[in-house]
Amino acid sequence: DSMNQAAAKSGATFEAGTIENGLNYSHNVWLWMGGVILTFLFAGALIRIVLGNVTLNTSERMIEDMRRAATGDLSVNPEITMGNEYGDLERAFAKLLGNFRTTIVRIDRAAGDLRTAAMEMSHTSDEAGNSIGEVAQAISAISEGAAHQVDLVARSAGHIEAIEHAVRDASEHAEEARR
């Protein structure tokens, strides 16, 4: 009202500072600040949901597959779902399991060949009479080879555990980076 009265008295002219003193925009600043804060909170939550859940789900699935493989279940077939570092880990783990399966098939074939050879040797040793010592030596060599294979499988379980820890660390770092 005072501005209207001042305008009426002075013939549409104002004294210096009358308009400046009469306008108050302080309530607009709080609205803008509130709007900016809400926008950032919404954007952060959206980024967390879109990026975080995908990465977290991939990490959890990889860790579960690794745990199953570490317990001896090599039927695990990891699904490659991402094209980034997580996808590289998934591909490497799938290749590792494939190599384990191939090694086990080779060991099984060798054991079958060994059984066949042992049966043939047993028959021959019955005929020759002195082949028992040779069979014992062959079994001893096979036992050493099997012990070596068991050692390789045991060491691979340690590598799988190290990969699991690396995936968990990467997941935690990714989670921290998103925050």
Side-chain angles (χ1 to χ4, degrees), residues 98-120:
N99 289 340
F100 280 155
R101 289 185 201 113
T102 300
T103 300
I104 289 173
V105 167
R106 287 179 184 165
I107 291 171
D108 186 54
R109 285 182 187 158
D113 291 346
L114 177 63
R115 278 190 291 275
T116 303
M119 288 171 42
E120 290 173 2

Side-chain angles (χ1 to χ4, degrees), residues 19-83:
I19 293 178
E20 180 181 320
N21 293 334
L23 297 177
N24 185 0
Y25 292 106
S26 62
H27 65 282
N28 288 343
V29 171
W30 290 110
L31 287 175
W32 275 100
M33 286 177 52
V36 168
I37 289 171
L38 287 175
T39 301
F40 278 116
L41 288 175
F42 178 74
L46 183 65
I47 289 171
R48 163 62 173 96
I49 290 169
V50 171
L51 297 179
N53 288 346
V54 172
T55 304
L56 186 62
N57 291 340
T58 299
S59 298
E60 289 173 352
R61 190 173 47 255
M62 281 185 356
I63 289 170
E64 178 61 29
D65 288 347
M66 287 179 185
R67 284 186 180 144
R68 284 179 48 206
T71 61
D73 180 7
L74 297 181
S75 66
V76 175
N77 192 14
E79 182 181 345
I80 299 167
T81 59
M82 300 182 89

Side-chain angles (χ1 to χ4, degrees), residues 123-176:
H123 181 31
T124 304
S125 71
D126 287 342
E127 294 174 359
N130 62 0
S131 299
I132 293 173
E134 295 174 5
V135 170
Q137 289 177 351
I139 290 174
S140 176
I142 291 168
S143 175
E144 289 176 14
H148 178 71
Q149 293 296 329
V150 168
D151 183 47
L152 288 175
V153 170
R155 278 193 252 155
S156 67
H159 292 295
I160 289 173
E161 184 176 328
I163 291 171
E164 177 183 348
H165 288 292
V167 168
R168 187 177 293 127
D169 287 344
S171 177
E172 290 172 5
H173 290 294
E175 183 70 25
E176 288 175 16

